[in-house]
Amino acid sequence: MPGPDRSSIRQRAALFMVAGAATAAAGAVLFFGIQPSTDVSEDLWRYPWESSGAFVVFSLFSATLHAFVAVGLLAFGRSGAAGRSRAATAGVALAVAGTVLLVVGELASIPIRDAETSDASAGFVGGAIFGFGGILSTLGFLLLGWATLRAGVWGGWRRYTPLATGLSLVAMSVVTAVSPTALHGMVGVYGLGLLAMATALYTDPAPAVPSGAGEPPRSPGMAGASIGRDGR
């Protein structure tokens, strides 16, 4: 089986890094800069954006970043950093599916930007699209984190980055349930997780699989059967 294409994976990891860095920066700017000074009601879907046009631009920008994340996740799967187990495959599929739903959610936010958060349209976009997308992404990153640790392909700080990203999404769910206005700050934390994971992938796009990694241990019974057939 041919190994992963280092050049192709690194190119996609670069987009992944851009997405992570931009997500972290955007979350910080919104939480620390725009939210404290806005006059927009927290009940408006486009909060904290005072300009409807600015919200449209930001939604398109965010959709692009989510698309970059999806590209990076596919590259991560190809790299083999999480191994080739079913958990790794499922983790990539869930995380990509969830991220694609976030793209859809950003685009669906544009026509309802002036809606109240209590409106049915906002409830659908926020719950059915963003909510479900967030759940899939969380499950996907947690699975990838577990698979990466179990595979033992990456070492050092790299091996913890998928799990850290998944845990940041868990923290986002908990914190925003208590304080919804903390969303953008937690998105910034999620962006840091993405950046760390993307940097790990960029700097080691085709990790060498340790000898024996992913191979099931042979049972004594199987070994004995083999010896018996060989006559030794």
Side-chain angles (χ1 to χ4, degrees):
M1 181 178 178
D5 182 346
R6 292 177 62 91
S7 177
S8 175
I9 291 175
R10 181 162 280 163
Q11 289 173 3
R12 288 159 175 75
L15 293 178
F16 198 5
M17 290 175 68
V18 168
T23 299
V29 169
L30 281 166
F31 187 68
F32 294 109
I34 297 178
Q35 276 187 212
S37 61
T38 188
D39 292 325
V40 175
S41 169
E42 296 176 8
D43 296 326
L44 198 63
W45 181 257
R46 59 181 166 87
Y47 171 85
W49 295 99
E50 295 184 6
S51 166
S52 179
F55 178 83
V56 172
V57 172
F58 183 74
S59 294
L60 294 174
F61 172 70
S62 298
T64 302
L65 295 184
H66 291 313
F68 285 176
V69 171
V71 169
L73 287 169
L74 291 172
F76 177 81
R78 289 178 56 198
S79 75
R84 305 295 180 187
S85 65
R86 291 182 180 178
T89 301
V92 170
L94 287 170
V96 170
T99 304
V100 169
L101 277 177
L102 297 182
V103 174
V104 174
E106 298 291 356
L107 298 178
S109 292
I110 295 175
I112 67 162
R113 57 190 178 276
D114 293 320
E116 297 284 336
T117 54
S118 58
D119 291 349
S121 58
F124 176 77
V125 174
I129 302 180
F130 277 117
F132 191 49
I135 291 172
L136 292 181
S137 292
T138 302
L139 292 175
F141 277 107
L142 290 176
L143 264 179
L144 283 178
W146 179 76
T148 301
L149 291 174
R150 187 167 180 267
V153 178
W154 266 350
W157 63 272
R158 290 183 181 87
R159 67 195 304 246
Y160 300 105
T161 57
L163 181 60
T165 307
L167 291 176
S168 75
L169 287 172
V170 174
M172 184 190 300
S173 298
V174 174
V175 172
T176 55
V178 177
S179 177
T181 57
L183 173 63
H184 296 112
M186 295 308 299
V187 167
V189 175
Y190 165 62
L192 292 176
L194 293 176
L195 178 59
M197 186 175 171
T199 302
L201 182 61
Y202 184 84
T203 54
D204 194 5
V209 179
S211 178
E215 295 180 4
R218 297 179 66 185
S219 68
M222 292 175 62
S226 176
I227 291 174
R229 286 194 298 271
D230 293 340
R232 296 193 294 274

